[in-house]
Amino acid sequence: MSRRKTERLLNLVVCLLATRRYLTAEQIRRAVPGYPDGDEAFKRMFERDKEELRELGVPLEVGSDASGGGGEEIGYRIPPQAYELPEIRLSPDEAAVLGLAARVWQQASMADAASGALLKLRAAGVETDVPTAVGVEPRVDTGDPAFAPLWEAVRDGRPVTFEYQGVGRTHGARRHLEPWGVVSRRGRWYVVGHDRDRGEPRVFRLSRITGAVRPDGPAGSVVVPADADVRAIAFDRDDPAAEPRPATVRLRAG
C-alpha cells in the first residue's frame, strides 16, 4: 500500500470517527484530503476505500440523518464504541508472559509486529518488563524463505501453491495447499493443511519448498476444521513412543 493511500485511509477513518452524524460522500470528499476532483474518479476511489476499510475490519456504518445536514442522502460514519478496544487490564503474570512471548521472535517480520504490540501496551499503561518473572531468554528464528508467506497465508485464510521436493525426489512437484498452521520442531519448520491434490491433510517441511510460495485463491476461503490439531497431524503419526529416561537438573538458588 502506497504512503499516499495509507494517509488517505487514515484521514478517512479519523474523519468518520470524529462525526456523530452520517457524512455524505460529497462531505467526505471535501473533508478528507487526497481525493480527485472528477466525479467519476472520486466515486471509483471512494468505493475502493470503503471496501478496503471493511476488509481491514473497520465497522463502517451506512445510514441517513435527516437532521444532520445530509437530508435523506446516504451517509457514512464509524461508531467509536464499535471500533475502539475496551480498556486493557492485565495481571502482572499475564503482562510478563506477553513480554516473554514478544522476545521469542527473531524473524524480521514477526519481530516488528511483536515490538509494535509491546509499544502499544506500554502506551496504555501496561508494564510488560517484569525482571523477576522469567529467567530464560527463548529465541525462535527461521531462515526458510517460505516461512513469511506461509504464516501470512495461515493468518489470512488464503490457499497457496508452491514447488515441493519430497524425500528421495530429484525434482520438485507443484502442490496446492489450504494451510491450517505453521509449526516448529527440533529446529525445523512445517506447514500443515489440506492438500487439494491429494484430497487429505498433509504436512510439508519448509526447507523442501523450492521457489516462491504464491497465493492460489482469495483471502478467507480456507476453513480450518474445528477438530484439527495441527501439531498432532504434523508430529504424532510418525514418531514412536519415547522410552522414559531419567534426567538430573541443577537449579541455581534464586
Side-chain angles (χ1 to χ4, degrees):
M1 186 182 297
S2 68
R3 179 178 178 181
R4 181 179 301 178
K5 182 178 181 180
T6 301
E7 291 178 350
R8 186 180 70 251
L9 289 176
L10 179 59
N11 288 330
L12 178 58
V13 169
V14 171
C15 175
L16 295 178
L17 273 173
T19 181
R20 294 185 178 181
R21 57 185 176 85
Y22 294 100
L23 296 182
T24 66
E26 184 57 33
Q27 290 170 331
I28 292 172
R29 179 181 184 177
R30 295 196 301 264
V32 178
Y35 284 114
D37 295 330
D39 292 341
E40 287 300 321
F42 164 73
K43 183 177 180 180
R44 289 193 299 269
M45 184 177 289
F46 184 52
E47 289 297 323
R48 289 195 298 268
D49 286 353
K50 288 190 297 181
E51 189 62 31
E52 188 104 21
L53 291 183
R54 292 188 177 104
E55 290 180 358
L56 291 172
V58 177
L60 187 61
E61 189 176 274
V62 182
S64 63
D65 186 359
S67 62
E72 297 298 331
E73 188 176 350
I74 292 297
Y76 308 88
R77 69 180 181 184
I78 299 173
Q81 65 274 15
Y83 180 75
E84 297 172 353
L85 289 175
E87 182 180 358
I88 299 175
R89 294 184 178 273
L90 298 175
S91 69
D93 287 346
E94 291 171 333
V97 170
L98 286 177
L100 176 62
R103 291 197 297 271
V104 166
W105 286 100
Q106 290 181 317
Q107 202 268 344
S109 61
M110 296 293 288
D112 290 344
S115 299
L118 286 188
L119 184 62
K120 293 174 183 176
L121 286 173
R122 294 189 188 108
V126 178
E127 181 55 58
T128 57
D129 295 324
V130 183
T132 60
V134 292
V136 295
E137 285 289 332
R139 289 289 183 264
V140 176
D141 195 9
T142 174
D144 295 311
F147 175 84
L150 285 173
W151 179 82
E152 292 172 0
V154 171
R155 178 197 64 190
D156 299 338
R158 185 189 300 275
V160 293
T161 181
F162 50 81
E163 291 284 333
Y164 188 77
Q165 187 169 339
V167 178
R169 302 294 179 90
T170 57
H171 300 287
R174 175 62 55 180
R175 311 305 287 266
H176 302 82
L177 184 72
E178 297 177 5
W180 295 347
V182 180
V183 293
S184 173
R185 191 180 196 193
R186 297 173 183 171
R188 295 172 179 170
W189 286 90
Y190 303 83
V191 60
V192 179
H194 177 74
D195 186 338
R196 289 178 170 177
D197 303 297
R198 303 296 190 273
E200 61 183 8
R202 298 297 289 267
V203 182
F204 300 93
R205 201 166 100 184
L206 268 59
S207 61
R208 296 196 180 115
I209 295 177
T210 60
V213 176
R214 303 188 184 281
D216 194 34
S221 59
V222 173
V223 178
V224 182
D227 59 346
D229 186 334
V230 173
R231 295 195 65 84
I233 295 172
F235 306 129
D236 287 356
R237 359 181 237 192
D238 297 326
D239 285 358
E243 293 293 330
R245 294 186 299 172
T248 301
V249 180
R250 295 178 179 271
L251 297 179
R252 185 170 56 189

